[in-house]
Amino acid sequence: MNLSIFGLGYVGCVGMGCFSQLGNTVIGVDRQKDKVRMINQGIATIEEKGIDELVKTGRQENRIKATVDAEYAVLHSEISLICVGTLNSPDGHLDLNAVYSVADSIGDTLKKKKEHHITVIRSTVLPGTHKEIISILESRSGKSCNKDFSVVSNPEFLREGTAVQDFLSPPFTILASENNSAIDKLKSLYQEIQGEIIVTDIEIAELIKLVNNSFHALKVSFANEIGRICNRLGVNSQDLMQLFCKDQVLNISPQYLKPGFAYGGSCLPKDLKALNIISHDHYLHTPLLKAISESNDAHIQFAKELILEINKSKITFLSITFKPGTDDLRWSPALELVEYFLGKGFDVKIYDKNLNLSKLIGRNKSYLLERLPHIEGVLVDSIEEAVKFGDIIVIANKEPYIYNFLIPNNLIQGKLYIDLVGMLKGDTRENVYRIY
């Protein structure tokens, strides 16, 4: 294919080299004449393992060239990839001016182009950028998106130091567009790249890079805080974290990474508090570990605020244990909600199939009675009775019996459902509310 790549920095230079190796002809575009000159001399604009040879070979075989002339590049390519940098502005926002400037140039050239042209957004952007690019292209060209041109979001996940390897062997390739033909064209472009090609929503494609890198930063900070604690205790942090990473069922896995409600139970709050106390007792500053419980509290508070905003007096809670399949109520976030709204004078009912007061013993029983001494007065015997009572139905656990009652046709009109756990995932009805 004939490609044009706007921006000859890290993403653009690696893209030029790798796309040319795959047999494509690539025109690089950059305002900096020094970068253009380097590419035309077969020299990479960045220091990166493997890229020098790719650029040199691509140039020697006439599959790579560079220019400052955006119009020439667009007229001589079928796909333009926007790979310019997006730095932070002084207030922390991503500065997208370079992205929009490229869109201006492409749009101006589309006036003169008869063939359908695809613009691909590779730069790191914000949700809404895809729509803005379409608006710019339509405004500058006088043409219509998905008729005369199309736009595809295709975020990159390159790491400095392994960028060529990451390009050729990514975990996946993300594509998003309103135009299926453009998606098919990009699939063809990436057909020799290893990893699954995933077509997703435009907004997800725009946000995933920011989420990925924020999680990577979180992991680095978590490991370093654990390292500081280990250092103070005389524990080998490298061996400990190596052992931690061997658990790929819970620790390094999709477990606990599904948006829903807050954590609770007898283990997570207790052990997190114990680790924070160790840090405090040894005069260590571990703000990430400290912030975990604050973040959890903020999620519970968000649920409280949502219910208060709805402003209905009768609330039904379906399942109040700390997680499905148990009768354990210790540090249950759902129980905290019940306690809060009863204290505020709301009329509350609870149905929980797993909760049998006659079988509760020990700390679990005392924890419940300390918070809800009159629990018998709010428990009902059936899910039918519970749902009939409430103006607001709060789904606090992803229990099969709740799903079987509510899905697919038992969401009663006139009642408002607050899904804290993703049970009604994908339901877009106006009477379904979420906090995630």
Side-chain angles (χ1 to χ4, degrees), residues 155-183:
E156 54 80 22
F157 305 103
L158 307 181
R159 297 168 295 169
E160 294 188 26
T162 59
V164 172
Q165 177 185 336
D166 292 343
F167 187 101
L168 297 172
S169 301
F172 45 64
T173 296
I174 300 294
L175 301 174
S177 178
E178 298 172 350
N179 190 300
N180 291 332
S181 295
I183 290 289

Side-chain angles (χ1 to χ4, degrees), residues 266-326:
S266 60
C267 295
L268 270 60
K270 171 181 68 69
D271 292 348
L272 174 63
K273 183 177 290 187
L275 190 59
N276 272 299
I277 289 297
I278 290 173
S279 174
H280 176 270
D281 289 349
H282 287 82
Y283 305 99
L284 291 169
H285 183 51
T286 50
L288 177 61
L289 290 173
K290 181 180 179 182
I292 294 172
S293 60
E294 295 175 3
S295 176
N296 200 56
D297 291 342
H299 205 52
I300 297 171
Q301 181 62 30
F302 192 64
K304 293 176 182 177
E305 291 171 359
L306 174 59
I307 296 172
L308 288 172
E309 287 173 9
I310 294 174
N311 195 27
K312 298 286 186 180
S313 61
K314 294 182 178 181
I315 308 173
T316 288
F317 286 86
L318 300 181
S319 182
I320 62 166
T321 55
F322 91 93
K323 71 175 185 179
T326 179

Side-chain angles (χ1 to χ4, degrees), residues 309-422:
E309 287 173 9
I310 294 174
N311 195 27
K312 298 286 186 180
S313 61
K314 294 182 178 181
I315 308 173
T316 288
F317 286 86
L318 300 181
S319 182
I320 62 166
T321 55
F322 91 93
K323 71 175 185 179
T326 179
D327 67 351
D328 196 344
L329 293 148
R330 290 171 291 178
W331 290 279
S332 165
L335 180 60
E336 182 175 333
L337 291 181
V338 171
E339 183 180 9
Y340 175 82
F341 284 103
L342 282 172
K344 286 285 186 180
F346 285 75
D347 201 352
V348 175
K349 297 296 181 185
I350 299 166
Y351 178 73
D352 192 322
K353 187 177 180 179
N354 297 317
L355 186 57
N356 187 331
L357 296 181
S358 65
K359 293 183 178 180
L360 290 182
I361 59 174
R363 180 59 181 149
N364 190 25
K365 182 177 182 179
S366 62
Y367 185 89
L368 171 62
L369 295 180
E370 285 170 9
R371 282 151 184 80
L372 297 181
H374 306 296
I375 179 68
E376 292 183 1
V378 296
L379 279 178
V380 297
D381 295 329
S382 71
I383 191 169
E384 291 84 359
E385 181 183 354
V387 171
K388 182 179 180 180
F389 167 83
D391 297 318
I392 299 174
I393 313 300
V394 180
I395 305 168
N397 271 314
K398 196 179 286 188
E399 290 279 8
Y401 70 85
I402 299 175
Y403 181 88
N404 292 335
F405 180 80
L406 295 179
I407 306 298
N409 297 314
N410 284 343
L411 293 190
I412 301 169
Q413 191 172 1
K415 293 184 180 292
L416 302 175
Y417 296 81
I418 297 181
D419 179 10
L420 298 178
V421 292

